[in-house]
Amino acid sequence: MQTKRLIFSGWFLFTSAFLFAQDINKIITEKEVERIERKLASDEMRGRKTFSPEIDSAAAFIAAEFKKIGLQTINNSGSYLQQFSLVKTKTLSTLTFLDGIELSPQNVAVSSNQIPLLIDENSGYETAFIKPGEKLNKEAFRLSQSGKNMIVFVDSSYAAEFSNLSFGKRAALRKNNSVVFLLTNQVPKKFSIDVKLENTEQHLSNVLGILPGKNKYATGDLQSDDIVVFSAHYDHIGVGKPVNGDSIYNGANDDASGTTAVMMLAKYFKELNNNDRTLVFVAFTAEEIGGYGSQYFSKQVNADGVVAMFNIEMIGTESKWGNNSAYITGYDKTDMGEILNQDLRFSGFTFYPDPYPDQQLFFRSDNATLALLGVPAHTISTSKMDSEPNYHKQSDSIETLNLKNMTEIIKAIAISSKSIVAGESTPSRVKTADLR
Ligand SMILES: [Zn+2]
């Protein structure tokens, strides 16, 4: 009796696994992968640079596909675009006096978006001095990030480096503080600084589609609990100097491949139509210029309710282990990688821990923003980061991709997420104290 029963249940399991495999091969096809990838990586998209008209075309394309698939719009707003803006600040002129003597404008660097900016020794700004022999950029970045209004006197021994000062402008702007760097021999008793700035507001959009879950907590709202995120960034770095007659950075692998995966997974889960948890499919903007898309998203979503984030980056080439394998960044930070491999155990796919730990990849993509809020948020990639020949080059075009393997990796991600999507397993949270 016992034995027969075992045989029967074994046969039953085999049948259902077989049907499952059939379905996935019909839905996630190389032909469809190629159609989407070819569009996103085409020359007409001109490298999908943030703030370009072409990235808006890419967003419109992704939104149209989400609509075709039948995803729900953001909080039922009727739009798949999650729009926000960034302020870009340009310094037009500076007039600075130190103890009554005018300082040349080239010895002044400003990080601020306050208009007008008029400062003297009574304005309540803290002062600091960067002494000879320190690391200028590192110190400047640290002070910019302090969140305080500051005047930073920089010793004139840094004259050569001062013109290239990259003082974490964005870091300061995010915190709305003003930091002025002045190259000088000595700290003055009196000073006055008059800066003319121009602020321009620039608009950008993430593209989001939602598939509400079947469980009672799943409202299909970004503030709900029990959300699983599938994401990739759809921006790239645009157009540069021509190399061999090609000036367009198509970003076919980085990250049109991940964006294609997100769209294919949306199609797949919509056709299955049995997800217990709410699935949110996101194409992030502005990853390449500082991760602004995921930062904005992280403030619109209930991060405590996001049970897992599958961020997908560069899956268009074979991994260092060959076909049918990928790696997960920050593998040891949660047990999500183990859950994924458990779901993959009969599939022939393997997801390894990130083999390039020195490169800090866990912190270099859009997963990091959510991970810092405790979300089990990892990036899945196949990119050989020590030797990928076309990374951030004009040659990152569709001809260099292995679309067959990429299609298989997308299937692997779908299979690996099965028990999480079904609400049967829940990864452990990232311990945020360990990340700082
Ligand atoms: Zn990327």
Side-chain angles (χ1 to χ4, degrees):
M1 202 56 194
Q2 190 68 280
T3 317
K4 265 190 182 167
R5 225 192 163 107
L6 275 174
I7 288 167
F8 178 75
S9 69
W11 165 236
F12 179 76
L13 279 173
F14 176 75
T15 311
S16 68
F18 181 70
L19 287 174
F20 179 68
Q22 281 249 318
D23 286 342
I24 198 167
N25 291 329
K26 270 189 210 151
I27 303 167
I28 301 176
T29 63
E30 187 179 333
K31 196 177 159 210
E32 187 66 354
V33 165
E34 181 174 350
R35 178 183 72 82
I36 296 170
E37 173 66 57
R38 199 167 280 288
K39 179 77 178 179
L40 289 171
S42 65
D43 279 356
E44 78 183 83
M45 293 291 181
R46 294 183 63 78
R48 308 181 305 279
K49 190 182 169 82
T50 302
F51 305 127
S52 70
E54 292 82 11
I55 197 172
D56 293 338
S57 310
F61 169 68
I62 298 164
E65 293 290 321
F66 280 176
K67 188 174 184 185
K68 205 163 83 184
I69 291 166
L71 300 184
Q72 186 179 298
T73 57
I74 306 163
N75 298 338
N76 278 316
S77 62
S79 175
Y80 297 103
L81 300 184
Q82 185 178 56
Q83 293 174 305
F84 60 104
S85 58
L86 287 177
V87 175
K88 190 179 181 191
T89 305
K90 197 170 143 191
T91 304
L92 299 176
S93 68
T94 61
L95 183 62
T96 308
F97 291 95
L98 305 181
D99 288 331
I101 299 166
E102 189 177 346
L103 186 69
S104 164
Q106 70 194 36
N107 294 334
V108 182
V110 183
S111 171
S112 176
N113 56 9
Q114 310 299 313
I115 297 175
L117 190 62
L118 289 164
I119 312 161
D120 63 23
E121 65 279 359
N122 301 314
S123 302
Y125 275 55
E126 273 188 32
T127 56
F129 183 58
I130 301 183
K131 302 188 297 291
E134 297 190 58
K135 287 207 166 82
L136 175 61
N137 270 316
K138 198 177 158 202
E139 267 308 284
F141 183 72
R142 188 180 68 77
L143 294 167
S144 304
Q145 277 203 311
S146 69
K148 294 174 185 162
N149 288 330
M150 291 193 93
I151 304 294
V152 181
F153 300 102
V154 178
D155 186 79
S156 39
S157 61
Y158 294 103
E161 293 164 67
F162 192 82
S163 58
N164 293 321
L165 188 63
S166 62
F167 43 82
K169 221 171 180 170
R170 289 185 194 121
L173 288 181
R174 257 204 302 275
K175 297 191 170 156
N176 256 325
N177 58 322
S178 300
V179 184
V180 180
F181 295 86
L182 303 169
L183 189 74
T184 172
N185 281 324
Q186 56 191 38
V187 177
K189 287 197 178 69
K190 284 176 167 259
F191 55 85
S192 74
I193 305 160
D194 178 353
V195 186
K196 300 258 182 308
L197 298 167
E198 182 185 69
N199 283 349
T200 39
E201 198 177 329
Q202 293 180 298
H203 300 277
L204 54 178
S205 316
N206 294 323
V207 192
L208 262 78
I210 297 170
L211 200 54
K214 308 290 179 204
N215 80 39
K216 62 181 176 174
Y217 306 106
T219 60
D221 180 294
L222 289 180
Q223 286 306 311
S224 74
D225 287 330
D226 250 11
I227 291 174
V228 180
V229 174
F230 293 92
S231 64
H233 68 93
Y234 73 103
D235 68 304
H236 193 58
I237 53 180
V239 179
K241 285 201 190 98
V243 173
N244 300 326
D246 182 8
S247 59
I248 300 173
Y249 290 72
N250 300 87
N253 197 21
D254 185 10
D255 189 22
S257 69
T259 307
T260 301
V262 168
M263 292 155 80
M264 292 305 299
L265 291 165
K267 186 174 153 66
Y268 172 70
F269 285 113
K270 175 68 186 176
E271 292 208 15
L272 291 192
N273 200 31
N274 62 1
N275 50 296
D276 182 74
R277 288 177 161 145
T278 290
L279 310 185
V280 176
F281 301 93
V282 197
F284 289 123
T285 187
E287 190 269 353
E288 300 283 6
I289 62 165
Y292 294 105
S294 53
Q295 284 167 35
Y296 185 76
F297 173 78
S298 75
K299 295 189 183 102
Q300 306 302 311
V301 74
N302 170 26
D304 293 339
V306 177
V307 298
M309 178 189 201
F310 295 76
N311 188 55
I312 307 162
E313 270 262 24
M314 296 187 279
I315 54 163
T317 56
E318 307 85 14
S319 78
K320 65 174 280 192
W321 305 277
N323 287 337
N324 298 344
S325 62
Y327 61 85
I328 302 178
T329 66
Y331 196 94
D332 57 355
K333 299 210 172 357
T334 73
D335 63 3
M336 184 164 152
E338 284 169 39
I339 294 171
L340 270 47
N341 273 317
Q342 182 69 14
D343 280 337
L344 286 172
R345 66 197 183 283
F346 302 123
S347 70
F349 295 105
T350 311
F351 288 171
Y352 294 92
D354 169 14
Y356 314 106
D358 292 349
Q359 298 212 27
Q360 297 280 310
L361 299 176
F362 184 70
F363 296 101
R364 279 174 54 192
S365 189
D366 289 312
N367 65 291
T369 307
L370 277 289
L372 284 164
L373 298 172
V375 177
H378 299 266
T379 292
I380 299 172
S381 179
T382 60
S383 181
K384 295 179 282 295
M385 290 306 285
D386 54 349
S387 61
E388 202 65 50
N390 305 306
Y391 175 65
H392 279 200
K393 295 208 176 98
Q394 288 93 330
S395 53
D396 181 3
S397 55
I398 191 166
E399 296 74 36
T400 67
L401 302 190
N402 179 340
L403 293 172
K404 185 174 191 299
N405 184 57
M406 180 171 143
T407 306
E408 295 305 312
I409 297 297
I410 297 170
K411 289 179 202 169
I413 296 168
I415 296 166
S416 77
S417 69
K418 194 173 178 237
S419 68
I420 293 176
V421 167
E424 288 157 7
S425 43
T426 302
S428 57
R429 309 291 292 174
V430 167
K431 293 187 189 76
T432 53
D434 297 351
L435 299 183
R436 298 207 179 93

